[in-house]
Amino acid sequence: MNSIAASHMFPDSDTLIPRFREAGDVTLDLFHRDGRVDDRWLGFHPREFELLWRLAQQPGVPMTRKQLLLDVWRIDFEPETNSVAVHVARVRSKLAPFDLSSILATHPDGGYFLNVPADPGSFKRDYDE
């Protein structure tokens, strides 16, 4: 589908969703709903992919657990589970063989953020985990 066809199908939308999003050395692919480093797929489960995709939308910007529950899980209440922390740990474990687990960082005031440059002229934040 080209952008002209898409604009006719979705006339109220003037922005197309990107297929790829970069998260440091990880390339996220919306079509495959997975990430890859070089030519190796990471095997993300849907929520793991959505978590990293959402954080990659605004690198370096901390998101609270509540924001992630709303944006990724699509719930507006606090469940009595630690599902956000569990998914963060799973993503980190899949990034670990590439020595990239630190790109998914815990903010000192709570929440998580993608610890990568927003663009080539940016610098990484240096928070301890």
mmCIF file with all atom_site columns, all heavy atoms in Angstrom, residues 73-86:
data_model
loop_
_atom_site.group_PDB
_atom_site.id
_atom_site.type_symbol
_atom_site.label_atom_id
_atom_site.label_alt_id
_atom_site.label_comp_id
_atom_site.label_asym_id
_atom_site.label_entity_id
_atom_site.label_seq_id
_atom_site.pdbx_PDB_ins_code
_atom_site.Cartn_x
_atom_site.Cartn_y
_atom_site.Cartn_z
_atom_site.occupancy
_atom_site.B_iso_or_equiv
_atom_site.pdbx_formal_charge
_atom_site.auth_seq_id
_atom_site.auth_comp_id
_atom_site.auth_asym_id
_atom_site.auth_atom_id
_atom_site.pdbx_PDB_model_num
ATOM 1   N N   . TRP A 1 73 ? -0.391 -1.805  28.057 1.00 0.00 ? 73 TRP A N   1
ATOM 2   C CA  . TRP A 1 73 ? -1.376 -2.785  28.495 1.00 0.00 ? 73 TRP A CA  1
ATOM 3   C C   . TRP A 1 73 ? -2.805 -2.307  28.256 1.00 0.00 ? 73 TRP A C   1
ATOM 4   O O   . TRP A 1 73 ? -3.736 -3.074  28.338 1.00 0.00 ? 73 TRP A O   1
ATOM 5   C CB  . TRP A 1 73 ? -1.174 -3.123  29.971 1.00 0.00 ? 73 TRP A CB  1
ATOM 6   C CG  . TRP A 1 73 ? -0.094 -4.126  30.223 1.00 0.00 ? 73 TRP A CG  1
ATOM 7   C CD1 . TRP A 1 73 ? -0.277 -5.444  30.526 1.00 0.00 ? 73 TRP A CD1 1
ATOM 8   C CD2 . TRP A 1 73 ? 1.324  -3.914  30.208 1.00 0.00 ? 73 TRP A CD2 1
ATOM 9   N NE1 . TRP A 1 73 ? 0.934  -6.055  30.698 1.00 0.00 ? 73 TRP A NE1 1
ATOM 10  C CE2 . TRP A 1 73 ? 1.937  -5.146  30.506 1.00 0.00 ? 73 TRP A CE2 1
ATOM 11  C CE3 . TRP A 1 73 ? 2.133  -2.811  29.964 1.00 0.00 ? 73 TRP A CE3 1
ATOM 12  C CZ2 . TRP A 1 73 ? 3.307  -5.308  30.571 1.00 0.00 ? 73 TRP A CZ2 1
ATOM 13  C CZ3 . TRP A 1 73 ? 3.503  -2.961  30.022 1.00 0.00 ? 73 TRP A CZ3 1
ATOM 14  C CH2 . TRP A 1 73 ? 4.082  -4.187  30.321 1.00 0.00 ? 73 TRP A CH2 1
ATOM 15  N N   . ARG A 1 74 ? -2.975 -1.028  28.032 1.00 0.00 ? 74 ARG A N   1
ATOM 16  C CA  . ARG A 1 74 ? -4.281 -0.391  27.793 1.00 0.00 ? 74 ARG A CA  1
ATOM 17  C C   . ARG A 1 74 ? -5.243 -0.571  28.966 1.00 0.00 ? 74 ARG A C   1
ATOM 18  O O   . ARG A 1 74 ? -6.419 -0.831  28.791 1.00 0.00 ? 74 ARG A O   1
ATOM 19  C CB  . ARG A 1 74 ? -4.900 -0.912  26.501 1.00 0.00 ? 74 ARG A CB  1
ATOM 20  C CG  . ARG A 1 74 ? -4.089 -0.551  25.288 1.00 0.00 ? 74 ARG A CG  1
ATOM 21  C CD  . ARG A 1 74 ? -4.755 -0.991  24.000 1.00 0.00 ? 74 ARG A CD  1
ATOM 22  N NE  . ARG A 1 74 ? -3.890 -0.713  22.881 1.00 0.00 ? 74 ARG A NE  1
ATOM 23  C CZ  . ARG A 1 74 ? -3.198 -1.640  22.229 1.00 0.00 ? 74 ARG A CZ  1
ATOM 24  N NH1 . ARG A 1 74 ? -3.304 -2.902  22.582 1.00 0.00 ? 74 ARG A NH1 1
ATOM 25  N NH2 . ARG A 1 74 ? -2.422 -1.315  21.220 1.00 0.00 ? 74 ARG A NH2 1
ATOM 26  N N   . ILE A 1 75 ? -4.674 -0.438  30.173 1.00 0.00 ? 75 ILE A N   1
ATOM 27  C CA  . ILE A 1 75 ? -5.514 -0.463  31.371 1.00 0.00 ? 75 ILE A CA  1
ATOM 28  C C   . ILE A 1 75 ? -5.222 0.791   32.187 1.00 0.00 ? 75 ILE A C   1
ATOM 29  O O   . ILE A 1 75 ? -4.094 1.276   32.215 1.00 0.00 ? 75 ILE A O   1
ATOM 30  C CB  . ILE A 1 75 ? -5.296 -1.736  32.221 1.00 0.00 ? 75 ILE A CB  1
ATOM 31  C CG1 . ILE A 1 75 ? -3.834 -1.899  32.631 1.00 0.00 ? 75 ILE A CG1 1
ATOM 32  C CG2 . ILE A 1 75 ? -5.774 -2.965  31.476 1.00 0.00 ? 75 ILE A CG2 1
ATOM 33  C CD1 . ILE A 1 75 ? -3.585 -3.076  33.554 1.00 0.00 ? 75 ILE A CD1 1
ATOM 34  N N   . ASP A 1 76 ? -6.235 1.324   32.815 1.00 0.00 ? 76 ASP A N   1
ATOM 35  C CA  . ASP A 1 76 ? -6.058 2.562   33.578 1.00 0.00 ? 76 ASP A CA  1
ATOM 36  C C   . ASP A 1 76 ? -6.224 2.346   35.079 1.00 0.00 ? 76 ASP A C   1
ATOM 37  O O   . ASP A 1 76 ? -6.662 3.227   35.795 1.00 0.00 ? 76 ASP A O   1
ATOM 38  C CB  . ASP A 1 76 ? -6.997 3.652   33.079 1.00 0.00 ? 76 ASP A CB  1
ATOM 39  C CG  . ASP A 1 76 ? -8.459 3.297   33.242 1.00 0.00 ? 76 ASP A CG  1
ATOM 40  O OD1 . ASP A 1 76 ? -8.764 2.153   33.634 1.00 0.00 ? 76 ASP A OD1 1
ATOM 41  O OD2 . ASP A 1 76 ? -9.307 4.171   32.984 1.00 0.00 ? 76 ASP A OD2 1
ATOM 42  N N   . PHE A 1 77 ? -5.866 1.169   35.536 1.00 0.00 ? 77 PHE A N   1
ATOM 43  C CA  . PHE A 1 77 ? -5.878 0.890   36.971 1.00 0.00 ? 77 PHE A CA  1
ATOM 44  C C   . PHE A 1 77 ? -4.589 0.157   37.314 1.00 0.00 ? 77 PHE A C   1
ATOM 45  O O   . PHE A 1 77 ? -3.887 -0.338  36.444 1.00 0.00 ? 77 PHE A O   1
ATOM 46  C CB  . PHE A 1 77 ? -7.102 0.050   37.362 1.00 0.00 ? 77 PHE A CB  1
ATOM 47  C CG  . PHE A 1 77 ? -7.155 -1.301  36.700 1.00 0.00 ? 77 PHE A CG  1
ATOM 48  C CD1 . PHE A 1 77 ? -6.584 -2.413  37.307 1.00 0.00 ? 77 PHE A CD1 1
ATOM 49  C CD2 . PHE A 1 77 ? -7.773 -1.465  35.464 1.00 0.00 ? 77 PHE A CD2 1
ATOM 50  C CE1 . PHE A 1 77 ? -6.619 -3.655  36.692 1.00 0.00 ? 77 PHE A CE1 1
ATOM 51  C CE2 . PHE A 1 77 ? -7.817 -2.705  34.845 1.00 0.00 ? 77 PHE A CE2 1
ATOM 52  C CZ  . PHE A 1 77 ? -7.239 -3.799  35.460 1.00 0.00 ? 77 PHE A CZ  1
ATOM 53  N N   . GLU A 1 78 ? -4.267 0.127   38.588 1.00 0.00 ? 78 GLU A N   1
ATOM 54  C CA  . GLU A 1 78 ? -3.048 -0.530  39.053 1.00 0.00 ? 78 GLU A CA  1
ATOM 55  C C   . GLU A 1 78 ? -3.354 -1.990  39.399 1.00 0.00 ? 78 GLU A C   1
ATOM 56  O O   . GLU A 1 78 ? -3.975 -2.274  40.418 1.00 0.00 ? 78 GLU A O   1
ATOM 57  C CB  . GLU A 1 78 ? -2.507 0.181   40.303 1.00 0.00 ? 78 GLU A CB  1
ATOM 58  C CG  . GLU A 1 78 ? -1.961 1.559   40.039 1.00 0.00 ? 78 GLU A CG  1
ATOM 59  C CD  . GLU A 1 78 ? -0.556 1.533   39.465 1.00 0.00 ? 78 GLU A CD  1
ATOM 60  O OE1 . GLU A 1 78 ? 0.182  0.538   39.671 1.00 0.00 ? 78 GLU A OE1 1
ATOM 61  O OE2 . GLU A 1 78 ? -0.193 2.515   38.807 1.00 0.00 ? 78 GLU A OE2 1
ATOM 62  N N   . PRO A 1 79 ? -2.933 -2.933  38.546 1.00 0.00 ? 79 PRO A N   1
ATOM 63  C CA  . PRO A 1 79 ? -3.166 -4.343  38.880 1.00 0.00 ? 79 PRO A CA  1
ATOM 64  C C   . PRO A 1 79 ? -2.248 -4.755  40.027 1.00 0.00 ? 79 PRO A C   1
ATOM 65  O O   . PRO A 1 79 ? -1.224 -4.119  40.275 1.00 0.00 ? 79 PRO A O   1
ATOM 66  C CB  . PRO A 1 79 ? -2.806 -5.074  37.589 1.00 0.00 ? 79 PRO A CB  1
ATOM 67  C CG  . PRO A 1 79 ? -1.825 -4.184  36.926 1.00 0.00 ? 79 PRO A CG  1
ATOM 68  C CD  . PRO A 1 79 ? -2.214 -2.770  37.304 1.00 0.00 ? 79 PRO A CD  1
ATOM 69  N N   . GLU A 1 80 ? -2.626 -5.795  40.705 1.00 0.00 ? 80 GLU A N   1
ATOM 70  C CA  . GLU A 1 80 ? -1.815 -6.263  41.827 1.00 0.00 ? 80 GLU A CA  1
ATOM 71  C C   . GLU A 1 80 ? -0.756 -7.251  41.342 1.00 0.00 ? 80 GLU A C   1
ATOM 72  O O   . GLU A 1 80 ? -0.532 -8.290  41.967 1.00 0.00 ? 80 GLU A O   1
ATOM 73  C CB  . GLU A 1 80 ? -2.718 -6.878  42.889 1.00 0.00 ? 80 GLU A CB  1
ATOM 74  C CG  . GLU A 1 80 ? -3.636 -5.846  43.516 1.00 0.00 ? 80 GLU A CG  1
ATOM 75  C CD  . GLU A 1 80 ? -4.438 -6.401  44.667 1.00 0.00 ? 80 GLU A CD  1
ATOM 76  O OE1 . GLU A 1 80 ? -4.057 -7.439  45.238 1.00 0.00 ? 80 GLU A OE1 1
ATOM 77  O OE2 . GLU A 1 80 ? -5.453 -5.783  44.996 1.00 0.00 ? 80 GLU A OE2 1
ATOM 78  N N   . THR A 1 81 ? -0.131 -6.919  40.223 1.00 0.00 ? 81 THR A N   1
ATOM 79  C CA  . THR A 1 81 ? 0.934  -7.755  39.683 1.00 0.00 ? 81 THR A CA  1
ATOM 80  C C   . THR A 1 81 ? 2.138  -6.876  39.384 1.00 0.00 ? 81 THR A C   1
ATOM 81  O O   . THR A 1 81 ? 2.031  -5.653  39.356 1.00 0.00 ? 81 THR A O   1
ATOM 82  C CB  . THR A 1 81 ? 0.508  -8.448  38.374 1.00 0.00 ? 81 THR A CB  1
ATOM 83  O OG1 . THR A 1 81 ? 0.304  -7.442  37.375 1.00 0.00 ? 81 THR A OG1 1
ATOM 84  C CG2 . THR A 1 81 ? -0.758 -9.259  38.555 1.00 0.00 ? 81 THR A CG2 1
ATOM 85  N N   . ASN A 1 82 ? 3.238  -7.503  39.142 1.00 0.00 ? 82 ASN A N   1
ATOM 86  C CA  . ASN A 1 82 ? 4.444  -6.772  38.762 1.00 0.00 ? 82 ASN A CA  1
ATOM 87  C C   . ASN A 1 82 ? 4.744  -7.000  37.283 1.00 0.00 ? 82 ASN A C   1
ATOM 88  O O   . ASN A 1 82 ? 5.891  -7.136  36.887 1.00 0.00 ? 82 ASN A O   1
ATOM 89  C CB  . ASN A 1 82 ? 5.622  -7.174  39.643 1.00 0.00 ? 82 ASN A CB  1
ATOM 90  C CG  . ASN A 1 82 ? 5.943  -8.651  39.525 1.00 0.00 ? 82 ASN A CG  1
ATOM 91  O OD1 . ASN A 1 82 ? 5.177  -9.418  38.954 1.00 0.00 ? 82 ASN A OD1 1
ATOM 92  N ND2 . ASN A 1 82 ? 7.078  -9.057  40.066 1.00 0.00 ? 82 ASN A ND2 1
ATOM 93  N N   . SER A 1 83 ? 3.700  -7.022  36.440 1.00 0.00 ? 83 SER A N   1
ATOM 94  C CA  . SER A 1 83 ? 3.863  -7.389  35.037 1.00 0.00 ? 83 SER A CA  1
ATOM 95  C C   . SER A 1 83 ? 4.789  -6.453  34.274 1.00 0.00 ? 83 SER A C   1
ATOM 96  O O   . SER A 1 83 ? 5.511  -6.901  33.374 1.00 0.00 ? 83 SER A O   1
ATOM 97  C CB  . SER A 1 83 ? 2.513  -7.477  34.335 1.00 0.00 ? 83 SER A CB  1
ATOM 98  O OG  . SER A 1 83 ? 1.844  -6.247  34.404 1.00 0.00 ? 83 SER A OG  1
ATOM 99  N N   . VAL A 1 84 ? 4.825  -5.176  34.610 1.00 0.00 ? 84 VAL A N   1
ATOM 100 C CA  . VAL A 1 84 ? 5.730  -4.258  33.917 1.00 0.00 ? 84 VAL A CA  1
ATOM 101 C C   . VAL A 1 84 ? 7.176  -4.652  34.210 1.00 0.00 ? 84 VAL A C   1
ATOM 102 O O   . VAL A 1 84 ? 7.990  -4.808  33.289 1.00 0.00 ? 84 VAL A O   1
ATOM 103 C CB  . VAL A 1 84 ? 5.464  -2.782  34.299 1.00 0.00 ? 84 VAL A CB  1
ATOM 104 C CG1 . VAL A 1 84 ? 6.501  -1.874  33.659 1.00 0.00 ? 84 VAL A CG1 1
ATOM 105 C CG2 . VAL A 1 84 ? 4.060  -2.359  33.889 1.00 0.00 ? 84 VAL A CG2 1
ATOM 106 N N   . ALA A 1 85 ? 7.491  -4.858  35.471 1.00 0.00 ? 85 ALA A N   1
ATOM 107 C CA  . ALA A 1 85 ? 8.853  -5.244  35.856 1.00 0.00 ? 85 ALA A CA  1
ATOM 108 C C   . ALA A 1 85 ? 9.243  -6.593  35.245 1.00 0.00 ? 85 ALA A C   1
ATOM 109 O O   . ALA A 1 85 ? 10.382 -6.776  34.818 1.00 0.00 ? 85 ALA A O   1
ATOM 110 C CB  . ALA A 1 85 ? 8.982  -5.298  37.373 1.00 0.00 ? 85 ALA A CB  1
ATOM 111 N N   . VAL A 1 86 ? 8.304  -7.516  35.177 1.00 0.00 ? 86 VAL A N   1
ATOM 112 C CA  . VAL A 1 86 ? 8.580  -8.827  34.586 1.00 0.00 ? 86 VAL A CA  1
ATOM 113 C C   . VAL A 1 86 ? 8.894  -8.679  33.105 1.00 0.00 ? 86 VAL A C   1
ATOM 114 O O   . VAL A 1 86 ? 9.859  -9.264  32.596 1.00 0.00 ? 86 VAL A O   1
ATOM 115 C CB  . VAL A 1 86 ? 7.390  -9.793  34.807 1.00 0.00 ? 86 VAL A CB  1
ATOM 116 C CG1 . VAL A 1 86 ? 7.530  -11.038 33.952 1.00 0.00 ? 86 VAL A CG1 1
ATOM 117 C CG2 . VAL A 1 86 ? 7.263  -10.154 36.276 1.00 0.00 ? 86 VAL A CG2 1
#
